[in-house]
Amino acid sequence: IIYATGFEVGSLGRDTWIQGKNQHHITGTSAADEALEAYLGAAIPDFPNLFMLLGPNTGLGHNSVVLMIESQVEYVVRMLTEALDNGIDTFEVNKEVVDGYYKWLW
């Protein structure tokens, strides 16, 4: 499923509701309101098989985001290929990986 929300900075779209594991969910503005963290701005813990493009900490504000989108698409394709080649049905980023990424990032 590809869910395209269009371009609305700081939001996934007002009527968005994405249900993850363990009662976690993302709503239209919770990504910004709750400072959502994502590995490489693309993968979120507790949301199996979910990738987003131009997620948290990917907005450049001073340049084109084309390079960011291309890098994220490369990551997503690499993950999907690995899953398909190895018969993996469900995959997600670990919270520890995201925490380590944010320690490096900040």
Side-chain angles (χ1 to χ4, degrees):
I1 296 172
I2 297 176
Y3 178 63
T5 62
F7 185 76
E8 189 173 333
V9 176
S11 174
L12 297 174
R14 287 182 193 84
D15 298 324
T16 302
W17 176 280
I18 302 171
Q19 183 69 47
K21 291 180 6 185
N22 304 319
Q23 302 302 315
H24 288 98
H25 64 274
I26 303 170
T27 61
T29 57
S30 68
D33 294 345
E34 298 171 17
L36 186 68
E37 294 182 344
Y39 180 68
L40 301 177
I44 306 167
D46 293 320
F47 288 86
N49 300 345
L50 175 85
F51 293 104
M52 63 172 46
L53 301 182
L54 297 180
N57 293 308
T58 61
L60 300 176
H62 67 286
N63 209 335
S64 170
V65 294
V66 172
L67 177 63
M68 191 66 67
I69 293 169
E70 289 174 344
S71 298
Q72 288 184 311
V73 167
E74 182 180 334
Y75 168 69
V76 170
V77 168
R78 197 169 65 237
M79 292 301 299
L80 292 173
T81 300
E82 182 75 19
L84 289 170
D85 289 350
N86 293 290
I88 299 169
D89 296 325
T90 303
F91 52 92
E92 67 182 282
V93 66
N94 294 329
K95 175 78 169 112
E96 295 79 21
V97 171
V98 175
D99 291 344
Y101 172 68
Y102 270 77
K103 282 182 184 177
W104 171 81
L105 186 65
W106 295 107

